[in-house]
mmCIF file of all heavy atoms in Angstrom:
data_model
loop_
_atom_site.group_PDB
_atom_site.id
_atom_site.type_symbol
_atom_site.label_atom_id
_atom_site.label_comp_id
_atom_site.label_asym_id
_atom_site.label_seq_id
_atom_site.Cartn_x
_atom_site.Cartn_y
_atom_site.Cartn_z
ATOM 1 N N MET A 29 98.892 71.307 107.352
ATOM 2 C CA MET A 29 100.317 71.690 107.411
ATOM 3 C C MET A 29 100.605 72.697 106.328
ATOM 4 O O MET A 29 100.170 72.540 105.181
ATOM 5 C CB MET A 29 101.193 70.450 107.225
ATOM 6 C CG MET A 29 102.677 70.763 107.262
ATOM 7 S SD MET A 29 103.781 69.324 107.075
ATOM 8 C CE MET A 29 103.511 68.488 108.609
ATOM 9 N N THR A 30 101.322 73.733 106.685
ATOM 10 C CA THR A 30 101.709 74.742 105.687
ATOM 11 C C THR A 30 102.977 74.303 104.980
ATOM 12 O O THR A 30 103.708 73.401 105.444
ATOM 13 C CB THR A 30 101.957 76.111 106.347
ATOM 14 O OG1 THR A 30 103.106 76.016 107.186
ATOM 15 C CG2 THR A 30 100.754 76.581 107.155
ATOM 16 N N GLN A 31 103.275 74.974 103.887
ATOM 17 C CA GLN A 31 104.526 74.656 103.139
ATOM 18 C C GLN A 31 105.741 74.936 104.017
ATOM 19 O O GLN A 31 106.692 74.157 104.021
ATOM 20 C CB GLN A 31 104.546 75.499 101.886
ATOM 21 C CG GLN A 31 105.563 75.034 100.865
ATOM 22 C CD GLN A 31 105.415 75.805 99.572
ATOM 23 O OE1 GLN A 31 105.756 76.983 99.509
ATOM 24 N NE2 GLN A 31 104.927 75.126 98.548
ATOM 25 N N MET A 32 105.716 76.031 104.801
ATOM 26 C CA MET A 32 106.844 76.338 105.661
ATOM 27 C C MET A 32 107.016 75.266 106.737
ATOM 28 O O MET A 32 108.145 74.859 107.043
ATOM 29 C CB MET A 32 106.635 77.724 106.331
ATOM 30 C CG MET A 32 107.870 78.257 107.062
ATOM 31 S SD MET A 32 108.154 77.582 108.721
ATOM 32 C CE MET A 32 106.734 78.224 109.561
ATOM 33 N N GLN A 33 105.916 74.746 107.292
ATOM 34 C CA GLN A 33 106.006 73.679 108.280
ATOM 35 C C GLN A 33 106.589 72.417 107.643
ATOM 36 O O GLN A 33 107.402 71.704 108.259
ATOM 37 C CB GLN A 33 104.635 73.393 108.898
ATOM 38 C CG GLN A 33 104.151 74.495 109.811
ATOM 39 C CD GLN A 33 102.676 74.333 110.199
ATOM 40 O OE1 GLN A 33 101.853 73.836 109.407
ATOM 41 N NE2 GLN A 33 102.358 74.735 111.413
ATOM 42 N N ALA A 34 106.166 72.115 106.441
ATOM 43 C CA ALA A 34 106.697 70.947 105.724
ATOM 44 C C ALA A 34 108.190 71.116 105.484
ATOM 45 O O ALA A 34 108.972 70.158 105.632
ATOM 46 C CB ALA A 34 105.946 70.745 104.409
ATOM 47 N N ALA A 35 108.606 72.327 105.120
ATOM 48 C CA ALA A 35 110.023 72.584 104.868
ATOM 49 C C ALA A 35 110.827 72.441 106.152
ATOM 50 O O ALA A 35 111.912 71.863 106.162
ATOM 51 C CB ALA A 35 110.210 73.995 104.294
ATOM 52 N N GLN A 36 110.296 72.952 107.250
ATOM 53 C CA GLN A 36 111.013 72.840 108.526
ATOM 54 C C GLN A 36 111.122 71.393 108.957
ATOM 55 O O GLN A 36 112.195 70.938 109.399
ATOM 56 C CB GLN A 36 110.305 73.648 109.634
ATOM 57 C CG GLN A 36 111.051 73.613 110.945
ATOM 58 C CD GLN A 36 110.538 74.642 111.940
ATOM 59 O OE1 GLN A 36 110.225 75.757 111.554
ATOM 60 N NE2 GLN A 36 110.471 74.257 113.185
ATOM 61 N N LYS A 37 110.079 70.612 108.797
ATOM 62 C CA LYS A 37 110.113 69.201 109.100
ATOM 63 C C LYS A 37 111.183 68.473 108.252
ATOM 64 O O LYS A 37 111.934 67.640 108.775
ATOM 65 C CB LYS A 37 108.728 68.584 108.858
ATOM 66 C CG LYS A 37 108.588 67.142 109.266
ATOM 67 C CD LYS A 37 107.157 66.662 109.066
ATOM 68 C CE LYS A 37 107.039 65.193 109.384
ATOM 69 N NZ LYS A 37 105.668 64.693 109.172
ATOM 70 N N ALA A 38 111.215 68.782 106.972
ATOM 71 C CA ALA A 38 112.223 68.171 106.082
ATOM 72 C C ALA A 38 113.636 68.591 106.478
ATOM 73 O O ALA A 38 114.560 67.774 106.441
ATOM 74 C CB ALA A 38 111.926 68.563 104.629
ATOM 75 N N MET A 39 113.835 69.849 106.865
ATOM 76 C CA MET A 39 115.142 70.343 107.276
ATOM 77 C C MET A 39 115.598 69.624 108.553
ATOM 78 O O MET A 39 116.742 69.171 108.635
ATOM 79 C CB MET A 39 115.073 71.869 107.525
ATOM 80 C CG MET A 39 116.407 72.506 107.809
ATOM 81 S SD MET A 39 117.303 72.975 106.291
ATOM 82 C CE MET A 39 118.720 71.894 106.406
ATOM 83 N N TYR A 70 112.949 77.932 101.497
ATOM 84 C CA TYR A 70 112.879 78.395 102.881
ATOM 85 C C TYR A 70 114.271 78.317 103.496
ATOM 86 O O TYR A 70 114.936 77.278 103.399
ATOM 87 C CB TYR A 70 111.901 77.537 103.706
ATOM 88 C CG TYR A 70 110.500 77.721 103.211
ATOM 89 C CD1 TYR A 70 110.012 76.968 102.118
ATOM 90 C CD2 TYR A 70 109.648 78.637 103.794
ATOM 91 C CE1 TYR A 70 108.720 77.157 101.659
ATOM 92 C CE2 TYR A 70 108.367 78.836 103.338
ATOM 93 C CZ TYR A 70 107.898 78.098 102.257
ATOM 94 O OH TYR A 70 106.642 78.295 101.809
ATOM 95 N N PHE A 72 116.525 78.456 106.920
ATOM 96 C CA PHE A 72 116.391 78.196 108.352
ATOM 97 C C PHE A 72 117.679 78.539 109.077
ATOM 98 O O PHE A 72 118.773 78.330 108.524
ATOM 99 C CB PHE A 72 116.046 76.727 108.596
ATOM 100 C CG PHE A 72 114.676 76.380 108.113
ATOM 101 C CD1 PHE A 72 114.510 75.812 106.855
ATOM 102 C CD2 PHE A 72 113.565 76.630 108.875
ATOM 103 C CE1 PHE A 72 113.251 75.517 106.388
ATOM 104 C CE2 PHE A 72 112.294 76.352 108.400
ATOM 105 C CZ PHE A 72 112.138 75.779 107.163
ATOM 106 N N TYR A 90 109.908 74.161 96.168
ATOM 107 C CA TYR A 90 108.492 73.927 96.281
ATOM 108 C C TYR A 90 107.714 74.640 95.187
ATOM 109 O O TYR A 90 107.933 75.828 94.954
ATOM 110 C CB TYR A 90 107.968 74.438 97.632
ATOM 111 C CG TYR A 90 108.398 73.611 98.816
ATOM 112 C CD1 TYR A 90 109.534 73.942 99.518
ATOM 113 C CD2 TYR A 90 107.658 72.499 99.192
ATOM 114 C CE1 TYR A 90 109.938 73.192 100.615
ATOM 115 C CE2 TYR A 90 108.047 71.743 100.296
ATOM 116 C CZ TYR A 90 109.189 72.097 100.991
ATOM 117 O OH TYR A 90 109.578 71.335 102.069
ATOM 118 N N LEU A 95 103.411 70.525 99.112
ATOM 119 C CA LEU A 95 104.054 70.227 100.398
ATOM 120 C C LEU A 95 105.278 69.363 100.229
ATOM 121 O O LEU A 95 105.979 69.059 101.193
ATOM 122 C CB LEU A 95 103.075 69.561 101.367
ATOM 123 C CG LEU A 95 101.893 70.428 101.798
ATOM 124 C CD1 LEU A 95 100.992 69.652 102.744
ATOM 125 C CD2 LEU A 95 102.362 71.730 102.428
#
Side-chain angles (χ1 to χ4, degrees):
M29 179 179 290
T30 67
Q31 195 173 71
M32 190 280 294
Q33 289 169 325
Q36 183 167 320
K37 185 177 177 181
M39 186 87 245
Y70 294 84
F72 292 96
Y90 288 94
L95 295 180

